[in-house]
Amino acid sequence: MSTASPAERWSGYALLTVLALAVVVPFLNVFLASMQPSGEPVVGMAWPEHWSLDNYRQAWTVAGFSELMRSSLVIAAGVVPATLLLSELAGYALGTLRLPGGDGVAALFVAGLTIPVELIVVPLHFDLRSVGLTDSYLGVILVEIALFLPFGVFWMRTHFRTVPPSLVEAARMDGASAWTVLVRVLLPLARPSLTTLGVLVFMWSWNQFLLVLVLIQDAAKRTAPAGLGFFVGQNNTDVPMLAAGTIVVMLPITIVYLLFQRSFVAGLLQGAFKG
């Protein structure tokens, strides 16, 4: 096994440092702007003279983030568990059971990854309106599940296909049914992959903007990113308060990532090594 030279290691550290700064500096800039006095012009990255949470209180009240956050959480609570359940079941069937025509079905799911939401959002609006699912959480939840399912099935199928066949065969020789093999043998091994998928689906669901904007016209049911878009349009001169609203919308994703960081990274590394 070859070891990296000191020059290669330092080059790797330098690259990682640059990438980390590219992520941290914009976030820090927005955070510092949110701590400036409301209405004050913000030029560059300025350190606040007086730290205050007044912008967050104003942004929360003016934008109505209580209702916006509740709507986003309701949609995410419907999308994430359903997507994980359907993805693991379809991934298990296509990756382990070797069903006739399974490769063709898997190819259809992969093809679903190539369809941009911008292409289908307008037809979806008219289809959902015809069945009375516009301006409803259920309509958005069903569309997001369908939107995220191709990646979820692809992700879980890739995981299950890398499980040693001898493990499954041993369980079947002991009399385990297909359902028992999935629940007792494969799902414990799939926990990092499922955690990674769950964090990704939550992030995608939380950040949906155009889809929610088209499917939900009722202001009381808008999600946090959609509400933030209207908030920016109404208060585009108050940069500190807009920065505070941006931090508020970003906070749930940051908390979820920090809570599941180890499992998320483990799932990504597991997929990388399997690939």
Side-chain angles (χ1 to χ4, degrees), residues 3 17 45 52 55 80 91 97-98 138 143 160 192 207 220 226 229 255:
T3 57
T17 301
M45 186 180 295
S52 174
N55 288 321
V80 176
L97 300 182
R98 313 298 187 194
L138 180 60
V143 171
F160 286 126
N207 286 334
I255 293 174

Side-chain angles (χ1 to χ4, degrees), residues 6 14 34 53 57 110 127-128 147 171 185 205 229 240:
S34 72
L53 297 177
R57 287 191 285 266
V110 174
D127 289 341
L128 292 178
L147 186 64
V185 179
S205 176

Side-chain angles (χ1 to χ4, degrees), residues 86-97 152-154 156-158 160-161:
L86 295 175
S87 295
E88 70 185 35
L89 292 177
Y92 170 60
L94 296 174
T96 303
L97 300 182
V153 174
F154 171 77
M156 294 309 302
R157 177 177 180 266
T158 302
F160 286 126
R161 284 181 70 89

Side-chain angles (χ1 to χ4, degrees), residues 28-188:
L28 182 61
N29 194 16
V30 174
F31 173 72
L32 292 177
S34 72
M35 305 304 294
Q36 300 286 352
S38 179
E40 180 173 315
V42 178
V43 180
M45 186 180 295
W47 196 263
E49 294 184 5
H50 304 285
W51 296 78
S52 174
L53 297 177
D54 287 342
N55 288 321
Y56 289 90
R57 287 191 285 266
Q58 292 181 31
W60 188 275
T61 303
V62 174
F65 274 115
S66 297
E67 292 297 322
L68 297 177
M69 290 290 190
R70 183 183 66 83
S71 297
S72 290
L73 289 174
V74 167
I75 291 174
V79 171
V80 176
T83 303
L84 291 181
L85 177 61
L86 295 175
S87 295
E88 70 185 35
L89 292 177
Y92 170 60
L94 296 174
T96 303
L97 300 182
R98 313 298 187 194
L99 300 176
D103 290 339
V105 175
L108 291 176
F109 278 107
V110 174
L113 294 172
T114 66
I115 302 176
V117 65
E118 294 82 3
L119 184 66
I120 61 175
V121 65
V122 174
L124 277 173
H125 170 75
F126 289 105
D127 289 341
L128 292 178
R129 189 176 68 177
S130 66
V131 294
L133 286 180
T134 53
D135 280 335
S136 71
Y137 295 138
L138 180 60
V140 176
I141 289 172
L142 293 176
V143 171
E144 289 192 3
I145 291 173
L147 186 64
F148 305 146
L149 201 55
F151 176 83
V153 174
F154 171 77
W155 178 263
M156 294 309 302
R157 177 177 180 266
T158 302
H159 167 79
F160 286 126
R161 284 181 70 89
T162 58
V163 174
S166 57
L167 190 65
V168 178
E169 292 172 1
R172 288 173 177 168
M173 289 180 64
D174 289 339
S177 63
W179 180 256
T180 302
V181 171
L182 173 63
V183 175
R184 298 288 182 85
V185 179
L186 297 182
L187 281 187

